[in-house]
Amino acid sequence: MIRKEDVYKIGRLGKPHGVKGEISFQFTDDVFDRTDADYLIIEVEGILVPFFIEEYRFRSDESALLKLEDIDTQDAARELTNSEVFFERRLSDNADEPSMAAIIGYRLINDADSREIGVITGFDDSTENILFEVMKTDMQGGSASGSPVLIPAADEFIKGIDNDKREIRVALPEGLLDL
């Protein structure tokens, strides 16, 4: 059984394309193209199900036409319309570098004192400077508290990424977390 914590969302299926089972795929991460992925995981009625990729072709930087094994008709493809598409974290570890979508759920660790800052819940790429959206950890109880904070995802602040521990060590300018 595939567990939700072992995958991360990379997109959503759209409408069928043609009559032979092709379906449009809007993605936020092209990790399926950057790794040797044989399958994608699609949420069907609340269950994560692997579907083997027969072929795909890009339509733009954010969409592709996808042909999955055993989805051979327009009706079969229509049943998957609006389904969320996921990718296994362990397979994305083989990519050159983890994508932003892959690091959601990673813990952010202060390199100076090894304390947990919080958990990455998303990222903001609406400006030139990408920001981690982090749910801060309550230093007393170790639980998440308050609203998310934005922390720069600049290379000069990132000291290391440990995919096995699912954490990123950062050295932030003094006072940044007090804002």
Side-chain angles (χ1 to χ4, degrees), residues 106-168:
Y106 276 40
R107 295 179 314 127
L108 208 60
I109 307 294
N110 186 341
D111 197 48
D113 60 11
S114 295
R115 294 180 106 187
E116 182 176 319
I117 297 167
V119 176
I120 299 171
T121 58
F123 56 93
D124 180 344
D125 62 356
S126 61
T127 65
E128 189 173 325
N129 300 317
I130 297 174
L131 303 168
F132 292 128
E133 292 176 2
V134 177
M135 184 62 68
K136 278 183 85 169
T137 302
D138 178 7
M139 294 305 171
Q140 275 71 10
S143 62
S145 64
S147 58
V149 294
L150 298 175
I151 296 177
D155 287 340
E156 62 262 23
F157 298 146
I158 298 174
K159 298 304 173 193
I161 299 174
D162 187 330
N163 289 316
D164 293 331
K165 291 182 180 178
R166 294 187 62 199
E167 64 183 34
I168 299 174

Side-chain angles (χ1 to χ4, degrees), residues 85-97:
V85 180
F86 297 85
F87 199 78
E88 278 197 89
R89 289 185 189 279
R90 68 177 180 84
L91 295 177
S92 68
D93 292 345
N94 297 333
D96 297 335
E97 62 182 57

Side-chain angles (χ1 to χ4, degrees), residues 63-80:
S63 71
L65 291 177
L66 185 63
K67 176 65 178 82
L68 302 169
E69 278 187 15
D70 299 325
I71 305 296
D72 297 320
T73 66
Q74 185 178 30
D75 289 337
R78 187 174 292 115
E79 289 180 23
L80 297 175

Side-chain angles (χ1 to χ4, degrees), residues 5-16:
E5 58 267 13
D6 294 334
V7 298
Y8 66 97
K9 183 179 172 184
I10 63 167
R12 179 178 294 276
L13 295 177
K15 295 179 181 179

